[in-house]
C-alpha cells in the first residue's frame, strides 16, 4: 500500500496534435487530503480531473490508485471508476429515475451490495444532506442545489477512495452555492480524500489542505491555502487572484 | 352506392383486416427487436457487426418493400428456401421496419446528453449497463414520435402483401372488384377498413407522445443557461 491514494506522474495530453492541454503534470494526493485546483478558464484543470477518472484518454504518463497503475489497456476501467467518485457541474442525475433509484442503481448493479445495508446507508446520507423527503421525487422536481447534493450522495454511496468534484457549483444560483459547499466542507472535516476544481476562492481557502494553481496545462504553484492566497509567488497566480477582487475593477 | 352489397361483404373485410393486423403486429414486433439490436450494436460499437448493421440499414431503406417481397417469395425458392405467404409478409415487413426502427432509436440515443454516459461510467457502470439502464429508457421517450410514425407507416405498407398471394385487405378488395365489378363500394370499404385500423393507433400514438413529452425528464435543460 502506498501512502498516496492518487498519484500522477508526467501526465501529458493533447486534443489536437501539437496543442497540449496538459503538459507533464505530476501530483499526488494523500489519504484524507483535500486538494483544490484553481486556475483560469481553459487552463486544463477540468480535463485533468477527467483524466484521473479516465473519462479522457491520456497520451503520456501514469496514474496510480493506491499504488497500482490504472491507465493500462488491460485494466478493467469500470472496476477502477467504481473507486473514484465524481460529481459534475451539470449534476447529471438520471432524469428517468427517482432520487432513490438514482443513488441506489450503481451500488446494486456494479457492487452487488446487500440491499438492506445499502438502503440504510442511502437513508442516512440523504438525511444528512437534508433531502430524505425528496427520495421519491424525480430530478426535474428538485432545485439545482438539491440536485447537486443528490449527485454527491450518489457518488458517496459507492464508498469511493477519492472524490473528484468538477466545478460543482458553477451552474448554481448564488443562494444555492452555499448549501452545496456546506456539504463538501463537512466531508472534508470527516477526512474524505478529495480533489476539487472550483472557482469559489473563499471556499477553496476554507476547504483545501493544498492548493494547486494551473495555467496553460501545467502546474504553476502548489502551496498551503494560507500561503497561496496571501502570498502568491508567480505573476500569473497574482494576476489570476486579482480577477476575484471586484474593487480592482475600473469603472 | 349498393349498401346491401357493402353490408354483405363486411365479414369478408373483417377477416382480411384481422389478417392484416396480425401480420402487421408480428412484423412490427420483429422490427422493434431488429431495431433495438441494431441500435445496440451501433452504440456499443461492436466491430464487424456494426458494419453489417450499416449495410443492412442502407439496403433495407433504399429498396422498396415490393421488391423485397418479390425476392423473398419468388427468389428464395430458387435456392431451395420456400416461405409461406405469411412468413414472407412478416419477414419482409421486419426487414423493412427493422432499419426504420433502428434509425428512430438511433436518433433517440444521439439525443441523450453525452454527460449522461459519463455520469454513468463514473459510477463504475459498464457500456452495456449504461446502455440498458441509462441511455435506452431516455432514448425511447425521445424516439416515441418517430416510432409511432413508423408503426403507422408499416401498417400502411402491408397493402402490398397481396402480391405474395396473402388474403389481406387489398387482396380482398381487388378480388371483390374482379368478381362483382362494384369498384366504388369495394374501394370505399377498403379506405374505411384502413381508417378504422389506423385512426385509433394515431390517436393513441399522440396520447403516448404527449405523455412522454410531459414526462420529459427536463433532460435538455440540465445545465441552466446552457
Amino acid at each position: 500500500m502506498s501512502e498516496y491514494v492518487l498519484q500522477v506522474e508526467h501526465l501529458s495530453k493533447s486534443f489536437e496534435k501539437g496543442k497540449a492541454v496538459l503538459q507533464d503534470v505530476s501530483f499526488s494526493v494523500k489519504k484524507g487530503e483535500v486538494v483544490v485546483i484553481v486556475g483560469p478558464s481553459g487552463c486544463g484543470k477540468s480535463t485533468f480531473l477527467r483524466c484521473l477518472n479516465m473519462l479522457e484518454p491520456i497520451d503520456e504518463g501514469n496514474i496510480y490508485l493506491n499504488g497500482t497503475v490504472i491507465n493500462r489497456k488491460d485494466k478493467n476501467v469500470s472496476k477502477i471508476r467504481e473507486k473514484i467518485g465524481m460529481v459534475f457541474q451539470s449534476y447529471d442525475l438520471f432524469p428517468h429515475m427517482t432520487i432513490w433509484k438514482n443513488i441506489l442503481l450503481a451500488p446494486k448493479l456494479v457492487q452487488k451490495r446487500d440491499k438492506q445495508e445499502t438502503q440504510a446507508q442511502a437513508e442516512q446520507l440523504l438525511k444528512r444532506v437534508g433531502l430524505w423527503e425528496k427520495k421519491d421525487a424525480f430530478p426535474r422536481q428538485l432545485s439545482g442545489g438539491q440536485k447537486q447534493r443528490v449527485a454527491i450522495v450518489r457518488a458517496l454511496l459507492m464508498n469511493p477512495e477519492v472524490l473528484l468534484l468538477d466545478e460543482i457549483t458553477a451552474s448554481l444560483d448564488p443562494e444555492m452555492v452555499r448549501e452545496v459547499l456546506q456539504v463538501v466542507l463537512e466531508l472534508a472535516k470527516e477526512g474524505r480524500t478529495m480533489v476539487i476544481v472550483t472557482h469559489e476562492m473563499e471556499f477553496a481557502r476554507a476547504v483545501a489542505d493544498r492548493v494547486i494553481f494551473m495555467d496553460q496545462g501545467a502546474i504553476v504553484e502548489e502551496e498551503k491555502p494560507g500561503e497561496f492566497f496571501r502570498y502568491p509567488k508567480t505573476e500569473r497566480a497574482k494576476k489570476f487572484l486579482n480577477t476575484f477582487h471586484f474593487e480592482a475593477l475600473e469603472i | 352506392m349498393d349498401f346491401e352489397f357493402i353490408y354483405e361483404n363486411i365479414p369478408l373485410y373483417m377477416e382480411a383486416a384481422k389478417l392484416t393486423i396480425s401480420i402487421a403486429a408480428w412484423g412490427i414486433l420483429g422490427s422493434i427487436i431488429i431495431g433495438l439490436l441494431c441500435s445496440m450494436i451501433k452504440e456499443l460499437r461492436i466491430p464487424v457487426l456494426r458494419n453489417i448493421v450499416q449495410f443492412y440499414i442502407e439496403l433495407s431503406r433504399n429498396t422498396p418493400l415490393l421488391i423485397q417481397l418479390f425476392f423473398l417469395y419468388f427468389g428464395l425458392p430458387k435456392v431451395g428456401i420456400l416461405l409461406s405467404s405469411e412468413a414472407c409478409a412478416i419477414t419482409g415487413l421486419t426487414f423493412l421496419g427493422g432499419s426504420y426502427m433502428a434509425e428512430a432509436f438511433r436518433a433517440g440515443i444521439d439525443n441523450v446528453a453525452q454527460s449522461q454516459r459519463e455520469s454513468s461510467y463514473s459510477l463504475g457502470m459498464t457500456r452495456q449497463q449504461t446502455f440498458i439502464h441509462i441511455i435506452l429508457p431516455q432514448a425511447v421517450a425521445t424516439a416515441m414520435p418517430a416510432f409511432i410514425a413508423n408503426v403507422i407507416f408499416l401498417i400502411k405498407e402491408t397493402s402490398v402483401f397481396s402480391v405474395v398471394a396473402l388474403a389481406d385487405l387489398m387482396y380482398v378488395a381487388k378480388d371483390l372488384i374482379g368478381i362483382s365489378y362494384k369498384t366504388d363500394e369495394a374501394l370505399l370499404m377498403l379506405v374505411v377498413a384502413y381508417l378504422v385500423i389506423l385512426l385509433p393507433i394515431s390517436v393513441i400514438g399522440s396520447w403516448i407522445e404527449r405523455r412522454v413529452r410531459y414526462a420529459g425528464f427536463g433532460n435538455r435543460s440540465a445545465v441552466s443557461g446552457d
Side-chain angles (χ1 to χ4, degrees):
Chain A
M1 275 298 243
S2 152
E3 69 169 307
Y4 297 110
V5 176
L6 262 183
Q7 239 179 315
V8 173
E9 283 173 358
H10 309 296
L11 188 155
S12 291
K13 178 186 176 61
S14 52
F15 286 118
E16 297 165 53
K17 263 210 155 44
K19 276 182 82 180
V21 185
L22 296 168
Q23 322 178 38
D24 196 22
V25 177
S26 296
F27 102 129
S28 48
V29 189
K30 279 189 207 142
K31 195 165 168 49
E33 199 181 17
V34 177
V35 177
V36 173
I37 305 175
V38 298
S41 293
C43 72
K45 54 193 192 301
S46 275
T47 305
F48 178 62
L49 211 59
R50 291 161 57 81
C51 286
L52 296 180
N53 207 0
M54 278 161 298
L55 286 176
E56 296 287 352
I58 63 173
D59 299 339
E60 275 169 62
N62 282 321
I63 304 171
Y64 301 85
L65 181 71
N66 285 327
T68 318
V69 68
I70 56 177
N71 56 312
R72 290 282 181 271
K73 276 260 158 27
D74 60 333
K75 297 276 177 185
N76 184 337
V77 76
S78 303
K79 280 275 157 230
I80 294 157
R81 286 184 182 136
E82 216 184 299
K83 301 188 181 104
I84 305 176
M86 186 150 184
V87 183
F88 301 85
Q89 177 183 343
S90 51
Y91 341 118
D92 295 301
L93 299 180
F94 306 129
H96 57 297
M97 296 178 186
T98 62
I99 300 310
W100 191 239
K101 288 212 172 122
N102 255 284
I103 62 177
L104 287 171
L105 182 70
K108 186 177 112 190
L109 221 59
V110 176
Q111 296 180 320
K112 314 220 163 16
R113 275 164 61 189
D114 177 62
K115 203 173 163 190
Q116 298 220 309
E117 183 244 314
T118 325
Q119 288 188 350
Q121 195 194 351
E123 182 178 342
Q124 183 224 331
L125 283 169
L126 274 185
K127 280 182 174 159
R128 198 175 139 184
V129 300
L131 290 172
W132 175 241
E133 320 78 67
K134 298 284 184 189
K135 74 177 169 69
D136 297 318
F138 281 89
R140 78 192 126 91
Q141 296 165 316
L142 268 55
S143 73
Q146 291 173 328
K147 278 189 249 193
Q148 200 57 294
R149 280 182 280 159
V150 171
I152 294 172
V153 167
R154 185 173 66 174
L156 283 177
L157 199 56
M158 296 293 286
N159 297 319
E161 307 267 344
V162 54
L163 205 52
L164 312 177
L165 308 181
D166 186 12
E167 298 194 34
I168 60 168
T169 58
S171 53
L172 292 179
D173 291 334
E175 69 268 26
M176 289 167 184
V177 171
R178 181 177 266 284
E179 66 187 47
V180 171
L181 296 186
Q182 189 61 41
V183 172
V184 181
L185 274 171
E186 280 168 30
L187 293 175
K189 249 184 239 162
E190 68 186 41
R192 286 256 170 206
T193 315
M194 291 191 277
V195 183
I196 302 172
V197 167
T198 186
H199 280 296
E200 304 281 339
M201 291 305 133
E202 287 299 316
F203 167 67
R205 192 202 286 252
V207 80
D209 294 316
R210 188 149 46 95
V211 176
I212 286 175
F213 173 67
M214 275 181 87
D215 194 20
Q216 294 174 356
I219 294 180
V220 180
E221 269 190 58
E222 195 168 350
E223 266 307 341
K224 295 246 173 264
E227 278 294 301
F228 175 74
F229 286 106
R230 241 172 299 164
Y231 313 110
K233 286 194 195 68
T234 57
E235 271 310 306
R236 276 193 282 179
K238 275 180 204 160
K239 215 174 140 201
F240 171 71
L241 287 173
N242 259 332
T243 58
F244 291 91
H245 293 297
F246 290 104
E247 58 267 36
L249 279 181
E250 284 172 41
I251 302 166
Chain B
M1 195 58 67
D2 186 346
F3 288 103
E4 200 169 322
F5 173 83
I6 289 178
Y7 185 75
E8 273 169 15
N9 284 301
I10 284 177
L12 202 60
Y13 275 83
M14 293 277 271
E15 273 311 300
K18 269 191 216 160
L19 185 69
T20 293
I21 291 171
S22 91
I23 299 280
W26 285 111
I28 288 165
L29 184 70
S31 304
I32 294 171
I33 292 168
I34 297 289
L36 280 177
L37 273 177
C38 289
S39 56
M40 186 157 180
I41 286 166
K42 284 179 97 178
E43 164 75 11
L44 299 179
R45 302 203 201 106
I46 301 170
V48 186
L49 277 184
R50 63 192 275 224
N51 300 334
I52 295 173
V53 162
Q54 197 52 44
F55 176 73
Y56 154 68
I57 288 174
E58 295 305 332
L59 181 68
S60 151
R61 279 165 58 97
N62 294 308
T63 49
L65 178 60
L66 191 63
I67 312 296
Q68 294 168 9
L69 286 175
F70 275 160
F71 173 80
L72 291 170
Y73 196 66
F74 301 112
L76 285 184
K78 294 219 161 37
V79 291
I81 303 169
L82 211 61
L83 291 177
S84 70
S85 300
E86 285 84 358
C88 265
I90 293 172
T91 313
L93 200 60
T94 301
F95 184 81
L96 177 75
S99 64
Y100 277 83
M101 289 300 183
E103 290 296 280
F105 294 142
R106 183 76 209 154
I109 288 167
D110 286 345
N111 203 42
V112 178
Q114 181 60 24
S115 60
Q116 284 282 307
R117 288 183 181 82
E118 294 186 345
S119 143
S120 175
Y121 295 156
S122 77
L123 287 164
M125 294 214 260
T126 61
R127 277 182 159 277
Q128 285 92 320
Q129 287 169 334
T130 301
F131 181 75
I132 290 167
H133 296 273
I134 308 302
I135 307 297
L136 200 56
Q138 297 183 57
V140 166
T142 20
M144 200 47 83
F147 172 81
I148 289 162
N150 282 347
V151 167
I152 292 171
F153 159 75
L154 289 173
I155 296 174
K156 289 195 285 193
E157 284 295 297
T158 59
S159 58
V160 308
F161 288 162
S162 55
V163 300
V164 292
L166 194 77
D168 73 331
L169 283 168
M170 193 69 185
Y171 185 94
V172 166
K174 279 198 277 190
D175 217 29
L176 267 187
I177 293 169
I179 298 166
S180 65
Y181 297 105
K182 299 215 185 259
T183 313
D184 296 349
E185 287 82 354
L187 288 181
L188 177 71
M189 290 178 83
L190 181 64
V191 171
V192 170
Y194 271 111
L195 279 179
V196 167
I197 296 172
L198 286 168
L199 273 180
I201 291 175
S202 190
V203 170
I204 294 168
S206 34
W207 178 78
I208 295 173
E209 273 174 38
R210 244 176 299 132
R211 292 270 333 229
V212 296
R213 198 178 324 135
Y214 290 142
F217 311 141
N219 200 20
R220 295 281 99 192
S221 55
V223 184
S224 62
D226 205 65

